[in-house]
Amino acid sequence: MITVRVPAKVNVQLGVGGLRPDGFHDLANVFFAVALGDEVTASAAGPGEGVTLTCSGPDAAVVPLDGSNLAARAARLLAARHGLAEPDVRLHIDKAIPVAGGMAGGSADGAAALVACDALWQLDTPTATLLELAAELGSDVPFALLGGVALGRGRGEILDPLPVTGTFHWVFAVADGGLSTPAVFRECDRLREEAGTGSGDTDVPTPDADAGLLAALADGDAVALAGALANDLQSAALSLRPSLAATLRAGTEAGALGALVSGSGPTCAFLAKDAEAAAAVAEALRASGTCRTAHATHGPVPGATVLP
Ligand code: C5P
């Protein structure tokens, strides 16, 4: 039995380029891994049992447990890459990452399942191959393997680790219900069309990482990082879920240094001065009635890791 711990992500910068002919958008995506995470356990199953999936945690009821789950797809993809037949494996997800929340929870489980099955089946797959399989599973899966802080280019799967100093303190306000990532990207395109700027990859300049933001990370400067937080999907997420404006305001009024929608939302992320300030912001958000719950956490933390 192998258990893998895997982090959620927040995008401290999410620069979104135009819509490409393949249906994806080129990104300048600064991923940041936080301690809020899932645990995926892989254990041997009897012959013919196939891939089975179970889930625990407060949101277990809304996690799809069929073959579409990225953890199940990861197990099958890894087996196929090694020329193995349909694998027999039991996967259990202990879920803490908000579901469809813009924190790449499903992607994290896919990355964790790759690492857990690789260890269970003693395959010793090279990291480069795991990253390649992860990119096949989804744009955010490779980063969940890597963790830390990294710049994602292309659709987010081409990763370069970034230097970072110290620990940053975060609060995540979890909304009721999720948002569909493709729907948020579509809304971003629609808003661009409405504004007259166009939404294609020949209309929108290719985004680039912000030098001030990279310096803030390297310097461990939370105030500077808070000032540089930027998410090009935020207006689309707010357009689809206008109530998020009140959540962002509540956290800012409670003393957060900066606030933004996490990825495609609807989870909102708040950067705090220190652990104590983060606890106070989380408490104020829970009392505000503008979110379902709020978690104080920190990062960066490593990517998918086998637990002893
Ligand atoms: O790669 P992943 O399966 O996570 O992407 C889900 C959807 O999000 C894509 O089908 C696409 O609609 C949108 N997406 C995008 N540009 C990206 C990443 C995702 O438009 N860079």
Side-chain angles (χ1 to χ4, degrees):
M1 189 169 94
I2 304 284
T3 297
V4 169
R5 181 156 183 86
V6 66
K9 60 84 179 163
V10 56
N11 310 89
V12 289
Q13 183 191 350
L14 185 48
V16 178
L19 178 63
R20 308 190 315 204
D22 68 357
F24 288 89
H25 297 73
D26 271 320
L27 304 178
N29 190 347
V30 182
F31 290 103
F32 186 115
V34 293
L36 178 66
D38 288 351
E39 285 182 10
V40 175
T41 300
S43 37
E49 237 183 84
V51 180
T52 59
L53 213 54
T54 51
C55 186
S56 56
D59 292 341
V62 291
V63 175
L65 295 178
D66 58 10
S68 72
N69 189 297
L70 279 171
R73 288 177 49 203
R76 294 201 171 93
L77 187 64
L78 181 68
R81 169 56 77 103
H82 288 275
L84 306 171
E86 165 76 9
D88 298 308
V89 63
R90 293 178 194 161
L91 297 170
H92 179 78
I93 303 170
D94 191 10
K95 191 127 208 74
I97 306 174
V99 178
M103 298 190 75
S107 301
D109 299 340
L114 280 179
V115 172
C117 291
D118 185 61
L120 184 70
W121 302 333
Q122 300 179 344
L123 296 172
D124 253 331
T125 310
T127 305
T129 307
L130 287 178
L131 285 166
E132 200 186 296
L133 296 175
E136 244 179 84
L137 290 168
S139 308
D140 288 345
V141 183
F143 176 71
L145 287 178
L146 198 66
V149 181
L151 173 61
R153 308 305 307 250
R155 57 185 169 87
E157 86 285 17
I158 305 163
L159 292 173
D160 276 309
L162 290 171
V164 55
T165 297
T167 293
F168 293 88
H169 297 273
W170 291 95
V171 178
F172 293 96
V174 183
D176 271 323
L179 274 175
S180 143
T181 302
V184 176
F185 274 105
R186 273 198 304 276
E187 180 66 0
C188 174
D189 295 337
R190 194 191 67 78
L191 291 172
R192 285 172 170 174
E193 289 297 334
E194 199 175 73
T197 54
S199 61
D201 59 354
T202 51
D203 305 313
V204 185
T206 305
D208 223 335
D210 176 66
L213 178 121
L214 300 187
L217 288 164
D219 295 344
D221 185 337
V223 173
L225 180 60
L229 295 171
N231 179 1
D232 284 351
L233 290 181
Q234 179 155 318
S235 49
L238 283 167
S239 167
L240 296 176
R241 194 72 74 83
S243 63
L244 295 180
T247 315
L248 292 170
R249 209 176 315 117
T252 307
E253 282 170 5
L257 299 174
L260 85 173
V261 170
S262 179
S264 55
T267 306
C268 291
F270 304 88
L271 191 57
K273 180 165 66 71
D274 52 28
E276 203 180 317
V281 170
E283 183 59 43
L285 279 164
R286 278 183 225 114
S288 72
T290 65
C291 58
R292 179 155 60 85
T293 187
H295 305 289
T297 185
H298 65 272
V301 297
T305 307
V306 175
L307 295 181

